Amino acid sequence: MAGRLELDGDWQRVSTKYVWIVIVGSLVAALISAAIVVFIWFLGDWEWWGWLLVAAWAVGYGCQLVFAPRRARAIGYQMREDDLLIRRGIAWLRFVAVPYGRMQLIDVTRGPVSRSLGLSNLRFVTASASSNVEIPGLPAEAADELRDRLIALAETRRAGL
Amino acid sequence: MNPLADGQWHRMHPATPLLRGGAALVAIVAIVFANLRERLVDWIARVPDRTREGDPVDAIVEHGWVLWALLGVLVLVALIVVWYRVTWRMTEFRVTTDAVELRSGVLNRQNRQARLDRIQGVNVHRTLFARVFGAARLEIVVAGHDANLGLQYLGSNAAEELRREILRLAHNSDDPVGRRAPDADRAVLDRESNLDRVLRARADEFLTPADLHPDFAPASVVKVHPGRLIGSLILSPFTIVLIAIVVWLVVEVARGNYFLLVAVIPSVFGMFTGYSRRFSRLARYTISGSSNGVRIGYGLLSTSSETIPTGRIHAVEVVQPLLWRPFGWWAIRIARAGRARQRGQAENAWTVLPVGSLEDVGRVLPLLLPASDRGDLLALVDATAHYSRTAHVFSHAPRAAAWLHPLSWRRIGYAYVGDTLALRAGLIYRTLDLVPLARVQSVAIRQGPIRRMLGLAALAVHVVDVRIRPRLSVIGTRAGVELYDQLARSAVMLASRDARS
């Protein structure tokens, strides 16, 4: 498609195991919403709209599961000379560029599922709350290494506030 | 050099305990007086004793405890006085060439330091009570939640002078040659910068005589007429909500639901007092340029005066809500890291011009963005106010954008003024965002399915204050990618040049 937004460059992909985190996440969300649907079912008379609700629920989570691998593959990052470029999403595509010098701190977090898969989540915090820069699903050592590299780069390009 | 900024530890103004505890003291006296009023009236009018059930004063007199009660009060007062005295003695500050330091606390000692090269602004607040005594609170604004350093209270003049001194020192310490040089070179450079400092101080003295006399603050470049301010406060979305509530109330009461009157009327009155509060906060606005940055003053009863170094302004927004259109009024807001801690002053912290004509905007903007060409800025403001199809001040979005923004798509565009990005948007709520590229935190570009079908993308520039969100919600995909690359590159370049220069 001609209108598709694309930025060139050598994209680093996140670990293929990240798919499982997305899948587990959607399954948990599906279970919780299923519980809500069941609760509504017990609550009142089940008419045509109830089945519509169930259909919407099934289609929604079905799509999420089907697209999970593609969503995981769509996440990428590029370490350019002076800034970090991050992409996310397939249908809703978003690119963010953060100059290294703007780094305020870097968070590396691991949830229960990602720990069992040996993955880490890296978050790059700037002084602006809307930056929202996150690279999920990095292998733990790679995340620590990336963090150290980013900190070293930020140190040489410090830009204050 | 200012005697308070000589690098030694200093105490606050000796009247500080009175001013800090003043409001509470007045309140206690008022409560006691209100409770004993009847008794006092009786005593003065020499009315024979009336019996009062369970009156503590009667009980004390009956049991012969008068002496003990008086002694108790005396001890309490003495304890309070001693406590405040000790707190005052334990609170000290000093201003060195690197930082402003404050140590305070009797039981829990606290030592707070604000580095001069991190200062986002210096404010002088005067509450009504402090104004009576000629005292002021000096607040040093640094980025971060509740990180500000407040010196309360200082004499009014001392606070003004200290502010100027701190800003001057901050300006010099921002000079990265001295800051970045390795320690070996530092001594030499320091000597140079000392000489430089002295020369600069002399030059400042000659060039800006007005700003050196605290009694004679530089004249404001705009005058906000009180009538216009009241008008601008009334013509707000808040008023529409209020009118809607009142109409709904009248309708309901006409249908016989009287209980609503009791329930809703107090809160409606509360909303009305909101107007007077906002008015007294925003009244008497003054803005002027000074050698150290922009100086903004406001407040009817309690006054504040802020000085913001121009390099600490992260974005400027010029807005015109629909209701202000007939009068040609505009407002200017800025984004900055760090805020005044004073209660209810979040609005003041980002309002630079509460309301003003287009000429006022033209006078204030060059003060906020001194690096940009004045004529170019005025051209942008003019293009925002008076749209013309033939003018090419701003870029144009492709025709497909009309699907997403049927009314305002022609107005959405960007332009550059020097190193500042200008973004225009809105037909109903007109805005012009100006972002110095050296202050950009990050840049984002995104595209959803609808924009992809139309061959469009959306671009956002992130600045420190999330209340100002400069963005281009429609731009052609290719033009968007080009602009994005350009922004990302120049943001990096200008930020590093800014840190070095």
Side-chain angles (χ1 to χ4, degrees), chain B residues 9-11 89-94 101-103:
Chain B
W9 290 101
H10 291 277
R11 297 213 176 94
R89 278 189 71 91
M90 301 288 275
T91 307
E92 288 175 312
F93 71 95
R94 73 171 173 188
E101 269 180 84
L102 172 73
R103 53 182 190 199

Side-chain angles (χ1 to χ4, degrees), chain A residues 34-141:
Chain A
I36 294 170
V37 169
V38 168
F39 181 71
I40 296 171
W41 187 49
F42 275 122
L43 213 67
D45 31 342
W46 196 254
E47 284 174 45
W48 59 270
W49 56 265
W51 295 111
L52 209 68
L53 200 70
V54 170
W57 172 83
V59 169
Y61 282 103
C63 282
Q64 271 214 358
L65 290 181
V66 168
F67 282 111
R70 283 198 59 194
R71 265 172 61 205
R73 254 181 294 147
I75 299 168
Y77 65 94
Q78 255 184 61
M79 292 182 70
R80 299 197 291 195
E81 196 185 335
D82 292 305
D83 58 0
L84 179 68
L85 187 63
I86 288 153
R87 67 175 292 163
R88 285 194 93 153
I90 321 158
W92 281 271
L93 198 57
R94 184 177 189 258
F95 294 89
V96 186
V98 213
Y100 297 128
R102 290 302 183 199
M103 182 199 82
Q104 298 293 325
L105 62 94
I106 290 180
D107 256 348
V108 175
T109 53
R110 315 179 71 183
V113 184
S114 48
R115 197 173 309 139
S116 66
L117 292 169
L119 298 180
S120 288
N121 203 16
L122 187 136
R123 205 162 62 94
F124 192 105
V125 180
T126 70
S128 170
S130 35
S131 290
N132 190 20
V133 178
E134 210 172 338
I135 312 175
L138 286 169
E141 310 85 65

Side-chain angles (χ1 to χ4, degrees), chain B residues 57-230:
Chain B
V57 178
D58 279 340
I60 288 170
V61 173
E62 258 171 49
H63 290 81
W65 290 343
V66 177
L67 214 63
W68 289 113
L70 283 179
L71 203 67
V73 170
L74 215 67
V75 167
L76 198 70
V77 168
L79 275 179
I80 292 173
V81 167
V82 166
W83 173 256
Y84 271 115
R85 180 79 190 166
V86 169
T87 337
W88 173 76
R89 278 189 71 91
M90 301 288 275
T91 307
E92 288 175 312
F93 71 95
R94 73 171 173 188
V95 182
T96 64
T97 45
D98 292 327
V100 183
E101 269 180 84
L102 172 73
R103 53 182 190 199
S104 60
V106 180
L107 300 177
N108 299 315
R109 295 289 284 163
Q110 191 190 23
N111 198 326
R112 188 171 266 207
Q113 204 177 40
R115 284 187 44 174
L116 288 179
D117 57 346
R118 288 279 179 259
I119 286 178
Q120 303 287 329
V122 183
N123 307 340
V124 175
H125 298 292
R126 293 183 185 85
T127 59
L128 185 58
F129 198 68
R131 269 172 78 193
V132 174
F133 292 93
R137 188 163 72 94
L138 190 75
E139 186 176 33
I140 292 141
V141 183
V142 290
H145 178 72
D146 196 21
N148 294 355
L149 192 147
L151 305 180
Q152 56 189 357
Y153 283 90
L154 298 170
S156 253
N157 287 354
E160 277 299 334
E161 274 164 28
L162 191 57
R163 155 158 73 179
R164 196 163 22 251
E165 189 65 25
I166 289 171
L167 284 166
R168 197 180 62 75
L169 288 170
H171 188 76
N172 290 343
S173 80
D174 225 10
D175 182 7
V177 183
R179 198 181 47 188
R180 287 174 168 255
D183 283 336
D185 301 334
R186 192 155 183 150
V188 182
L189 285 164
D190 257 359
R191 218 174 302 138
E192 273 175 16
S193 63
N194 264 334
L195 182 67
D196 206 40
R197 209 170 289 162
V198 172
L199 283 177
R200 198 196 301 270
R202 289 268 81 82
D204 281 352
E205 220 168 293
F206 282 112
L207 291 175
T208 55
D211 205 36
L212 276 170
H213 293 281
D215 312 335
F216 186 61
S220 176
V221 296
V222 294
K223 241 184 142 66
V224 180
H225 191 272
R228 179 182 282 181
L229 183 60
I230 292 171

